Amino acid sequence: IFISHCRYALGMEDGRITDDDITASSQWYKTTGPQYARLNREEGDGAWCPAGQLEPSDVQYLQVDLGRLTFLTIVGTQGRYARSSGNEFARAYRLNYSRDGLLWKSWRNRLGNPVMEGNKNAYASVINDLHPPIVTRHIRLIPVTKLSTTVCMRVELYGCPWDDGLISYTAPEGQLMMPPGYPIASLNDSTYDGAHERRRLSGGLGQLTDGVIGLDDFLLTRQYHVWPGYDYLGWRNDSLGTQGFVEMEFVFDRQRNFTSMKVHSNNMFSRGVKIFSSVSCQFKPRLIANWEAEPVAFKTVLDDRNPSARYVTVPLHRRAAKSLRCRFYFADIWMMFSEISFQSGNGIKHDNQTFLSEQVNITTSCLFVHQRTPYSNPSASDSPDVSNTPVLIGCLVTIILLLVIIIFLILWCQYDCKVLEKVKRHNPTFNSVVARHQLFRCFYFEACGGGYAEPDITQCTPHQCFHSNAPHYAETDIVRLQGVTGSNMYAVPALTVDSLTRKDISAAEFPRQQLIFREKLGEGQFGEVHLCEAEGLPEFLGEGSPLPDRDGHSVLVAVKQLRADATSQARNDFLKEIKIMSRLNDPNIIRLLCVCVSSDPLCMVTEYMENGDLNMFLSQREIESTLTHANNIPSVSLSDLLHMSVQISSGMKYLASLNFVHRDLATRNCLLDRRLTIKIADFGMSRNLYSSDYYRIQGRAVLPIRWMAWESILLGKFTTASDVWAFGVTLWEIFTLCKEQPYSLLSDEQVIENTGEFFRNQGRQIFLYGPPLCPPSLFELMMRCWSRDIPDRPTFEGLYQALRPHVSQ
Ligand SMILES: *[C@@H]1O[C@H](CO)[C@@H](O)[C@H](O)[C@H]1NC(C)=O
Ligand SMILES: *[C@@H]1O[C@H](CO)[C@@H](O)[C@H](O)[C@H]1NC(C)=O
C-alpha cells in the first residue's frame, strides 16, 4: 500500500455507500437521519444529528459499513449548514472500528490520543489524516463534547481496498535494545490493536501493516515525538528460548492463493541487526484444520555490504490457505521488521492501477529523491506492483555514478598529492597533523595557510579551523552564543550582551504552575524543550497579545527550560538568549511570550505552531495538479511556495537589520500556522528527527554543514552573508518540496571536501541542482546566494525585493 496515494473518497458524498450501509445510534428527526450524513450534500435537514442534546458522557455514533475490508487513511467532517439555516457541528470526535462487525476497537493516534479535532463552523469540511491508518470494514464516528450541546455531522471517508486480506497477525512482543553508548530503542508494536498477553501479541494488526516502512537507521523515525526504534518491531535472538527463530501467524479474511510475502526488514549489521537467514511457512486451508505437513522454505542471501533496510520477497508458490505460520530464523543478534505484506489471488487490480504506474514513471526519473520522505512513496525499490524496468534503470544509474566517483577520486588524489608534496617541502611539521586528518587535509591547508590572513600553519589544527572565532577574519566582532538547550541561537554584536540583570528582560513573568506539560519536543546538553499548554496566557498577555485568536483560554506553547545541573556559564547564556529573544518583534520571527525566571528552573515560553515545521509540511505534499485534486492528495501550489520564500526573506531581513545572525536557517526551523504564515524559529537541532542534517566533529560541535557557507565551515565565520547562503539552500529545499536532503549523494565528508572546492573556486565545486519546479530566474537567485565572494551575494533586502513581485496579489 502506498499510503500517500491511498486517499480515495469511499463514496459517502457520491452515494456509492448506500443509505442502508449508514446507520446511527439515534436520530433527532426523520429528516436528520444517518442517510443525510453525506459530506457536501444538503438533503433532508442537511446532516445526521443524534437525538437530544449531547452530554459529555453520552456515546452517540454514526456507523458506516464499507462493504469490504478497507485501508482507511482520512476522515473528513462537516456540520449542518442547511443553506445557512443550520449551525450545529461536532468540535471533536473519536473513532471505533470493527473488522467483523462484532468486536469493536477504539482508534488512537500514534501518541495514544483517541480524540480528533472536528469542525469550527457548520460549513467548512475538516480533514483528519489517520496516523496510524485503520484496516477495517465497519467504522463509527463518535462526536465528543465538553459541554452539553447539539451536534450534527456530515462525513466522508477516504482510503483504498485492503487487498492483502490480512485480518490479524500474532507475534512475540517487541523488545528493548539497550546498548551502552546509544539511546535505548524500544522495538515494540505500539499501534497493535489486539491482545497483549504472556509476552505475545495476538488477534490484531499494528505497525507491520500501517504502510510506514522504517529507515535504514532504526534509531531514526518517520514520526514526530516518538522514541528511537518506533518504526520497527524487533527481537533479540537469545530472548526467545534457544530456538533461534521468531514465529508469526497470519490470519486472512478468506482462503487465498499466495504468490509471495514481502517483509520489510532492517539490515544495520554494524549494530547487530540483519534480515532473517531463512524462513519456513506452513499453511492451513481452513480456520479449523491441521497445518499442512509440507512447509515452504526459503533461504535469503545475506548481505554484509549494504546496510540499507529492504523488502525481502519470499515466494509462496501459489499455495492455498486461510492462515499461515512462518518461522523467521535469526542471522544475527537482532531481527527487525517494519512492514509485512502478502500478494495473493489472481492479482486483483483496482482502478487506481494506471494512476499508480504513472506516478512510478514520474518518480523513477529521480530515483534518489525519496530518501527522507515521511511515507513510503512509490519508488522502485519498495513497490510491489511494478515491473523491473525502474530497478534496472536504477542499477545502471548507480553503476555510472560509482564510476564517475571513482574517476573523480583518482583525479582528486593525484592533485592532492601534488599539493601535499609542496606543503611537506615547505613545512615538515605539517605532516603529522595531516596524517591524522587524512580526509580534511587539503582544505585545512588552504583555508588556514593559503591566501587569507596567513596564520602560522603549524598552529592550525582541524579544531581551530572549525571552532576558532577567527577574530582576524571577522568583519564585526561577533560573540558566539550557543543555545544552551542544544540549539544554536542567534549571534549578536558583542556590546549588547554584557552585564545582564532582570530588568534587561522585557518579557513578563508567567506563573509556572499554569504551564501544563504535554510532551517533550527535544533536549540539549543543559536543557529541554517541552510542548506545554499555557492556561490563561491570552488573558495574561492582554491587549495586543501576539497570539492568534482562538476559542479556548489555554494555548500551546514551546517551553525551553534550563536543567538544574546547568553550569553558571550555561545559565548566563540562557539569560542572554532570553534578552535577545525579547527584543525580536516581527511577524515572521517566533515570539518570546513570557518567561519564568524568578525561581529555578529558568524557562522561556515561545509561540508554538500546531502545523509543525515547513520541512514536515512540504515533505508530505505534492505540487498541486489535477491529479492531486482528483485524489485528495495534500498539495501546495507554486504561488504558496513563493509566498513562503518571501516570508522567510522578510523575517531574515528583519534579523539582518538588527545585525543578528541566525546561523541555522533551514526549513526545519521555519514553523507554520494554518494560514501558511511562516515564523522562523530555532529548535531544529534539539530534535533527533533531524540529526542527520547535522555534522558532529569528534563529538563536540554539531553543525548543519549542508546549509553552511564555505567560510562558516572553514573559518568559523558566521555573518549575515552566511545566513544568505543558508537562505539559498532553504529556497532549494522549498522548491524540491523537502523530498531530499541537500547534496544527498554526498557523504558528510564529501560535503566538507566540496566546501574546499567552493573556497578554491576552480570550477570543481558541486552546486545543488535547479529543482524542476523552480523558475530559472529563481535558481539564478539561489546561485547568487552561493557566490564565493561575499560582496557578490545578495542582501536579504535585495532578496525580498526580488522575490516579492513573483507572488501574485
Ligand atoms: C512501547 O514503548 C514505548 C517506549 O518505551 C512506551 O512508551 C509505549 O507505551 C510502549 N507501547 C506499548 C503498546 O507497549
Ligand atoms: C545469537 O547470535 C549470536 C551472534 O550471532 C550467536 O553467537 C548466538 O549463538 C545466537 N544465539 C542463538 C540462541 O541463536
Side-chain angles (χ1 to χ4, degrees), residues 53-59 143-149:
Q53 295 262 318
L54 189 72
E55 303 294 334
S57 59
D58 283 355
V59 179
V144 172
T145 180
K146 284 190 185 141
L147 307 166
S148 170
T149 174

Side-chain angles (χ1 to χ4, degrees), residues 237-238 241-244 331-333:
N237 72 350
D238 56 10
T242 49
Q243 54 199 17
D332 208 324
I333 306 169

Side-chain angles (χ1 to χ4, degrees), residues 20 137 159 185 195 420 474 513 642 771:
D20 293 342
R137 174 172 165 178
L420 272 179
Q513 65 280 7
L642 284 162

Side-chain angles (χ1 to χ4, degrees), residues 173-176 184-192 196 201 207 226-228 230:
E173 70 178 5
Q175 292 161 354
L176 282 180
I184 294 178
S186 187
L187 301 159
N188 58 6
D189 195 337
S190 57
T191 63
Y192 193 73
H196 185 177
L201 308 169
Q207 284 184 296
V226 292
W227 50 89
Y230 179 86

Side-chain angles (χ1 to χ4, degrees), residues 5 8 351-360 627 631 633:
H5 295 115
Y8 302 91
D351 356 334
N352 51 13
Q353 203 62 42
T354 43
F355 165 58
L356 286 182
S357 41
E358 215 171 289
Q359 285 292 308
V360 170
L627 266 184
N631 297 293
I633 297 168

Side-chain angles (χ1 to χ4, degrees), residues 60-338:
Q60 295 276 2
Y61 60 81
L62 178 78
Q63 180 173 333
V64 180
D65 177 357
L66 296 165
R68 59 186 294 185
L69 281 176
T70 302
F71 192 75
L72 200 64
T73 55
I74 300 175
V75 176
T77 57
Q78 229 172 0
R80 189 180 82 90
Y81 182 59
R83 298 179 190 82
S84 91
S85 68
N87 190 26
E88 298 86 14
F89 50 93
R91 285 184 185 276
Y93 63 94
R94 58 193 180 86
L95 300 173
N96 282 1
Y97 62 95
S98 172
R99 293 195 257 278
D100 57 7
L102 301 171
L103 179 65
W104 288 86
K105 309 180 186 218
S106 300
W107 178 84
R108 287 171 180 276
N109 73 10
R110 294 195 187 272
L111 304 174
N113 186 357
V115 178
M116 262 181 292
E117 220 171 283
N119 298 90
K120 295 223 155 30
N121 55 49
Y123 44 90
S125 57
V126 168
I127 294 281
N128 274 312
D129 275 71
L130 301 178
H131 297 300
I134 309 176
V135 175
T136 192
R137 174 172 165 178
H138 306 272
I139 179 101
R140 281 180 184 165
L141 282 95
I142 305 170
V144 172
T145 180
K146 284 190 185 141
L147 307 166
S148 170
T149 174
T150 317
V151 298
C152 298
M153 295 183 91
R154 287 178 287 170
V155 176
E156 182 62 276
L157 302 165
Y158 304 82
C160 57
W162 179 239
D163 288 335
D164 275 39
L166 184 64
I167 52 178
S168 73
Y169 60 79
T170 299
E173 70 178 5
Q175 292 161 354
L176 282 180
M177 186 181 199
M178 291 184 281
Y182 285 101
I184 294 178
S186 187
L187 301 159
N188 58 6
D189 195 337
S190 57
T191 63
Y192 193 73
D193 64 7
H196 185 177
E197 281 166 3
R198 278 174 280 130
R199 332 214 90 193
R200 273 193 87 76
L201 308 169
S202 61
L205 297 176
Q207 284 184 296
L208 295 185
T209 53
D210 66 357
V212 178
I213 59 168
L215 296 165
D216 292 350
D217 179 351
F218 59 89
L219 290 176
L220 305 180
T221 61
R222 293 187 190 262
Q223 312 296 330
Y224 264 141
H225 312 322
V226 292
W227 50 89
Y230 179 86
D231 292 332
Y232 285 97
L233 176 56
W235 309 271
R236 204 187 144 91
N237 72 350
D238 56 10
S239 65
L240 305 160
T242 49
Q243 54 199 17
F245 59 80
V246 167
E247 186 171 271
M248 297 182 72
E249 217 173 293
F250 304 92
V251 180
F252 294 83
D253 53 349
R254 58 182 165 82
Q255 198 183 78
R256 289 165 175 264
N257 293 335
F258 291 97
T259 48
S260 60
M261 164 172 77
K262 286 181 188 238
V263 182
H264 188 267
S265 172
N266 195 277
N267 195 45
M268 203 176 178
F269 45 80
S270 61
R271 305 284 313 276
V273 188
K274 259 199 212 132
I275 62 170
F276 45 94
S277 61
S278 65
V279 57
S280 141
C281 293
Q282 284 187 294
F283 300 81
K284 201 195 263 190
R286 290 172 305 282
L287 206 53
I288 318 275
N290 287 329
W291 293 105
E292 290 175 349
E294 196 187 328
V296 167
F298 177 74
K299 262 181 107 65
T300 62
V301 182
L302 291 175
D303 173 358
D304 287 333
R305 244 164 273 152
N306 181 355
S308 308
R310 77 267 323 264
Y311 268 112
V312 181
T313 304
V314 179
L316 295 176
H317 309 308
R318 306 193 58 81
R319 291 276 292 265
K322 172 123 175 26
S323 44
L324 252 78
R325 183 166 74 185
C326 296
R327 289 180 172 176
F328 298 91
Y329 288 84
F330 284 95
D332 208 324
I333 306 169
W334 283 90
M335 192 153 68
M336 295 181 192
F337 300 159
S338 72

